[in-house]
Amino acid sequence: MKNPVYTAIAIGVGIVVLLGYFLQIDLLANLRIVLLEWATILVAVALLVGIVNLFVVHFRKSAADQQNRINSIVLIVSMTITLLVAGWFGPTHTYSLWIFNYIQIPIEASLMAILTVMLIYAGIRLLRRKPNLLTIVFIATAVIILLMSGALFGIDIPGLSELRIWIGKVPAVAGARGILLGVSLGIVAAGLRILIGADRPYGGS
Amino acid sequence: MDGLNVLGLIYVLVFLGLILATSFILRTRESRRLRDIPAFERLGRAIGLAVEAGSRLHISLGRGHLLTTQSAIGFVGLSILDRIARSTSISDRPPVSTSGEGSLGILSQDTQSDAAKYLGVESDPTRGRITGLTPYSYAAGTLSFIQEEDIGANLLIGSFGNEVALITDAAERKEGMTLGGTDNLTGQAVLFATAQEPLIGEETYAGGAYLGAGPMHIASLYAQDILRWVIIGMILIGAVLKLFGVL
């Protein structure tokens, strides 16, 4: 069973933040801001803990005689160099920006490029895996939108750009709104479960 | 206090009232029927198979920031992690989780530690890993993790963008089952195309109820269903009023 003190703190803070958002009472609004500032600091500390966790896991992997340990060694060396450079010179110095612009961005752009190929392959695989009407509509819509995004071989087929605009404005927006309404209901339900202590994703057993 | 804030507060209070009322009504009923979501049925079978085969279950919690609305999907992922960690007690290979956000990583370690204490087994903090802190570094870290470990099934429940395709592709190559749900529209479209069992919209948030996380999860699911019909009704009434020029 979770420690009731942690549960009481979580519920109390949750109620104050929620009421501070809806009710324009100075005390509640100020308390909400202070609590959110504390939460921001905690999240920043958690980020540092996350970096330490990443380092420790890969340090252990690189020390052990494991397959693909080279990946962990590369990660540790890169992380150490980046931390030293950004820590010593500052995050906006030319050296730090060089690492960001010439190493991180190209690597992430390469992953994005791989992603394009993967998504095309996934589309083909989807037709084989789930050959139903929903899949056909999904693939057909994606293909139509892609084809209409640019002039095909310089040929402007009349009516096609209007079709693209209509798909973008009517069925796509309607579907997106439907999904977002479901998501928003889920978000409120998940938040309320935590607020009443039914869900307790924090420590203190 | 403006009108919009009052409406917002009323909405939250009505939702809360519905959850509490439904949980009270359900307490007296023996059977609590939920509509079929095939993905969760297959997940149950995949968990059983993974336990029998001695392979691991991987729960990817995404990059939901705890100070934004993305936290909700992160908490749903943690509930599912908790249920799975407890239900795979007979397995000698407990589930592992990956996340791309510091606080979510700490909470996942905490959840696993709680489950280990409940089962009376030793907890290992490296079962809750942070594999990267930007979208693509998180995906790259997670896919290399999937490639290295003997994973039987992958559950991707969290905030993901299009980078999730890199993770599902790695899972597909390892021939493991992939179930995925996210709060992000782009991520949902990508998961629909790449995951074996995609969850759409609110289905993702129903995970706790389908995995037996407690009566409140079921009650909140009923409350969601009631409010969804209310919203549908309001949209239809609004459309009719607009058609007749009243609005």
Side-chain angles (χ1 to χ4, degrees), chain B:
Chain B
M1 196 160 66
D2 63 24
L4 211 58
N5 278 346
V6 176
L7 269 178
L9 189 58
I10 290 169
Y11 172 71
V12 170
L13 291 175
V14 167
F15 209 137
L16 182 63
L18 273 174
I19 292 176
L20 295 174
T22 320
S23 73
F24 183 76
I25 295 164
L26 288 176
R27 210 174 50 172
T28 54
R29 284 192 191 173
E30 278 189 15
S31 66
R32 294 157 181 171
R33 205 179 173 283
L34 297 172
R35 73 182 165 93
D36 291 338
I37 298 181
F40 288 118
E41 281 172 27
R42 287 186 196 121
L43 173 66
R45 284 202 293 274
I47 291 172
L49 284 172
V51 170
E52 278 175 28
S55 56
R56 278 190 194 280
L57 286 157
H58 167 227
I59 297 106
S60 189
L61 299 167
R63 304 187 54 256
H65 198 283
L66 283 196
L67 292 179
T68 64
T69 49
Q70 295 168 346
S71 59
I73 191 82
F75 291 139
V76 171
L78 287 169
S79 285
I80 290 174
L81 172 65
D82 183 58
R83 287 308 304 160
I84 288 175
R86 285 164 199 251
S87 62
T88 52
S89 57
I90 52 166
S91 171
D92 52 353
R93 304 198 75 191
V96 279
S97 65
T98 53
S99 51
E101 212 272 325
S103 42
L104 209 51
I106 293 172
L107 287 174
S108 72
Q109 289 171 1
D110 207 42
T111 302
Q112 302 227 49
S113 159
D114 267 5
K117 272 184 199 165
Y118 171 79
L119 298 167
V121 294
E122 203 176 324
S123 164
D124 177 6
T126 59
R127 279 183 214 145
R129 291 187 194 172
I130 295 158
T131 49
L133 296 162
T134 62
Y136 284 97
S137 68
Y138 168 60
T142 307
L143 75 89
S144 71
F145 171 77
I146 292 170
Q147 282 163 357
E148 286 163 20
E149 294 280 339
D150 181 19
I151 305 285
N154 296 275
L155 278 83
L156 316 171
I157 306 283
S159 195
F160 303 98
N162 54 12
E163 75 281 356
V164 73
L166 294 165
I167 303 173
T168 48
D169 185 72
E172 190 89 15
R173 282 166 198 265
K174 291 285 279 187
E175 294 173 356
M177 182 232 179
T178 323
L179 180 145
T182 179
D183 58 348
N184 180 298
L185 275 179
T186 313
Q188 287 200 12
V190 171
L191 279 172
F192 182 79
T194 59
Q196 284 170 17
E197 300 296 340
L199 296 168
I200 306 295
E202 74 273 22
E203 284 180 355
T204 313
Y205 295 87
Y210 282 82
L211 293 173
M216 276 295 178
H217 281 259
I218 298 172
S220 69
L221 206 58
Y222 276 93
Q224 278 181 66
D225 281 346
I226 294 166
L227 279 173
R228 190 172 53 238
W229 282 110
V230 171
I231 291 170
I232 290 169
M234 284 166 74
I235 290 171
L236 288 175
I237 291 166
V240 170
L241 291 177
K242 184 90 177 166
L243 194 69
F244 290 104
V246 180
L247 279 181

Side-chain angles (χ1 to χ4, degrees), chain A residues 156-167:
Chain A
D156 189 17
I157 303 165
L160 280 184
S161 60
E162 285 80 6
L163 178 67
R164 178 182 172 267
I165 292 166
W166 179 80
I167 289 173

